[in-house]
Amino acid sequence: MTYLLLKFAHLNAAAFFVGGVFFEVMILSRAAQSLDDAPRQQLTTALGQRARQVMHWVVLVLYSAGLVLAWRYRSVLADPLASHFATLLALKIAVSVIILLHFVGVIVLLRTGRMRPQISRRIHLRKV
């Protein structure tokens, strides 16, 4: 039962994370371009604050549940090339670590005040 609850939490957090990133990058950033500077800044500030409140918890649940689930397959991960499952799981873990490092990088840039508009545009796939 615990395994199913962890898997449910992990999959839901993954859906929230991917959905949130998709919405921000593909919909919101494009729609915000049609706004004037003042309303766009208000929208960006308000949504950014709310997203940070929610996404921190989503990422915490996603990675915590993922770690516990991966621990169950530690023997399989000992030799990641032994089976297709082990290879895919190892690749999934590698991609998730890369995403986590980018997520932490953005947090560091925001908290240290080094997030510049040019970096933000690059993150959101907008033309520089």
Side-chain angles (χ1 to χ4, degrees):
M1 186 68 167
T2 304
Y3 176 78
L4 290 176
L5 288 174
L6 282 169
K7 198 166 197 170
F8 180 77
H10 182 68
L11 290 173
N12 276 303
F16 282 124
F17 183 80
V18 171
V21 171
F22 177 82
F23 176 77
E24 182 182 354
V25 172
M26 301 303 291
I27 297 172
L28 182 62
S29 66
R30 302 285 195 260
Q33 291 174 354
S34 66
L35 297 174
D36 292 331
D37 288 339
R40 180 181 11 206
Q41 186 61 36
Q42 282 182 307
L43 177 66
T44 302
T45 301
L47 284 174
Q49 289 173 348
R50 182 63 184 151
R52 281 190 294 277
Q53 290 172 347
V54 173
M55 283 306 230
H56 289 278
W57 289 106
V58 168
V59 169
L60 180 67
V61 170
L62 179 64
Y63 281 90
S64 299
L67 282 171
V68 174
L69 291 169
W71 183 255
R72 178 181 174 136
Y73 296 105
R74 64 190 178 278
S75 61
V76 173
L77 290 169
D79 187 10
L81 299 176
S83 68
H84 293 297
F85 174 74
T87 303
L88 288 175
L89 186 57
L91 283 172
K92 178 184 172 190
I93 291 170
V95 169
S96 71
V97 167
I98 291 168
I99 290 170
L100 181 63
L101 290 174
H102 280 85
F103 191 75
V104 169
V106 168
I107 291 171
V108 168
L109 288 173
L110 287 169
R111 290 201 177 169
T112 59
R114 294 185 297 170
M115 178 63 84
R116 298 185 317 252
Q118 186 178 23
I119 295 171
S120 178
R121 281 192 297 271
R122 202 171 290 139
I123 290 170
H124 294 92
L125 302 176
R126 289 182 267 169
K127 293 182 181 179
V128 178

